[in-house]
Amino acid sequence: MINPTELPDLTKASVQTLSDPLVSQKGIKIDVLRLDKIHTIISGNKWFKLKYYLQLADEQKKKGIISLGGAYSNHLVATAYMCKLAGLSSAGIIRGEEPANLSPTLHAMQAYGMSLQFYSRQAYRDPNLIERVQEAHPDFLLIEEGGRGLPGVQGAEEILHLAAFHQYSHIVCAVGTGTMMTGIINSALPSQSVIGILSLKLNTDHPPSILNFIQQYSRYSNFSLLDNLHFGGYAKKNDELITFMNKFYRRHSIPTDFVYTGKLFFGAMKLVEEDFFDAGANILIIHSGGLQGNMSLAAGTLDF
Ligand SMILES: *Cc1c(COP(=O)(O)O)cnc(C)c1O
């Protein structure tokens, strides 16, 4: 467990060119913005999505932050860590009954001082859950599941500035709530095409509409959301995905997770194969970090 004193180091967000025969054969170029390298816990997009929420909590003189998520939530562990850094309390509403053995992610949340409250899946689905949680914790700033919301979008608008992003024709990213993608759309040039690879089924596993959210908060409409690369839904996986992630790591030394970025890179390579991109395309893929989900896999499943 790392000591929660370390801030992310944005200078570590390198841009890595994928050297892949298929990519060169198609006459395109793919660069990867390695947000996964900025920090081990506040990995990837979560730093950007959370920073303005922390500022808000401070401005509103809140005692802490409360949010919601699953037992392997990248969002919650990042929230716990950032609150600890900022000297704020944190509380997490966890989907599902308390397990006999806490997941490593839940352990880490607790170690960073987050108090955990377990809700049965049924209680968690209550449409009034958010209101009830906020009422019960008036001195906590509530962040929606996954950091969904405008402050998250505003933070995500800073991501592209870590790369010389003007040169790219396409920007490709993973989509959970769509918060990061909205920030990327807002900061991309209107002439660039932003492609979101959904890690869950559109408008089925998630009550609030991802598309409505993106449309509500984005300034441009130069984006598309791909709904056919999620392997059956949120956190669903199969052997093909795991095999791809291992091969991808061996070839490029880029670790991915099966919830978001494994599907992102699998999807991007499939698009390349299917000639989705014209020759000459110059593509930037955002590696959004977040490897917590992999801890739910049996030891030895992954080569990294
Ligand atoms: C949380 C997360 C996402 C999803 O971001 P949204 O803003 O919710 O769409 C994507 N990739 C990784 C690695 C994540 O941890």
Side-chain angles (χ1 to χ4, degrees), residues 45-46 49 74 174-180 260-261 288-290:
N45 67 9
K46 300 299 184 272
K49 285 171 61 179
N74 292 317
V175 176
T177 64
T179 303
M180 171 178 62
Y260 297 106
T261 55
S288 35

Side-chain angles (χ1 to χ4, degrees), residues 127-290:
N128 301 317
L129 176 66
I130 297 265
E131 287 75 25
R132 285 183 27 221
V133 168
Q134 183 66 86
E135 264 170 37
H137 303 86
D139 45 358
F140 278 64
L141 180 81
L142 184 130
I143 305 182
E144 277 189 51
E145 195 175 37
R148 180 180 193 268
L150 187 57
V153 170
Q154 286 164 338
E157 288 175 5
E158 296 168 14
I159 290 175
L160 280 187
H161 296 281
L162 297 176
F165 73 93
H166 290 93
Q167 63 178 294
Y168 299 101
S169 55
H170 299 77
I171 297 153
V172 186
C173 67
V175 176
T177 64
T179 303
M180 171 178 62
M181 180 170 176
T182 306
I184 288 175
I185 295 167
N186 287 348
S187 48
L189 303 175
S191 59
Q192 293 174 315
S193 163
V194 180
I195 296 159
I197 298 193
L198 280 156
S199 42
L200 66 169
K201 284 189 205 164
L202 197 57
N203 305 341
T204 50
D205 341 46
H206 217 263
S209 161
I210 298 170
L211 187 59
N212 285 353
F213 178 84
I214 297 175
Q215 283 168 339
Q216 183 179 355
Y217 292 110
S218 62
R219 288 196 277 273
Y220 311 108
S221 53
N222 51 325
F223 69 88
S224 38
L225 266 182
L226 304 185
D227 187 24
N228 55 348
L229 297 160
H230 49 59
F231 287 80
Y234 184 73
K236 296 276 196 301
K237 59 177 185 309
N238 63 17
D239 290 347
E240 191 186 12
L241 179 62
I242 300 293
T243 304
F244 171 85
M245 288 163 59
N246 279 329
K247 273 198 195 147
F248 194 77
Y249 180 75
R250 284 200 297 271
R251 184 184 286 272
H252 304 292
S253 303
I254 300 179
T256 55
D257 75 297
F258 74 88
V259 183
Y260 297 106
T261 55
K263 294 176 183 181
L264 168 69
F265 287 103
F266 180 95
M269 295 313 286
K270 199 168 164 73
L271 294 176
V272 170
E273 228 173 83
E274 293 172 352
D275 294 322
F276 178 93
F277 304 105
D278 291 332
N282 191 4
I283 301 153
L284 180 68
I285 303 184
I286 311 296
H287 189 319
S288 35

Side-chain angles (χ1 to χ4, degrees), residues 35 38 41-51 73-76 78-79 82 146-147 159 180 260 288-290:
L35 294 185
I38 64 175
I41 303 295
I42 330 171
S43 163
N45 67 9
K46 300 299 184 272
W47 165 256
F48 297 91
K49 285 171 61 179
L50 287 167
K51 55 189 282 197
S73 170
N74 292 317
H75 162 68
L76 282 182
T79 302
M82 282 178 69
I159 290 175
M180 171 178 62
Y260 297 106
S288 35

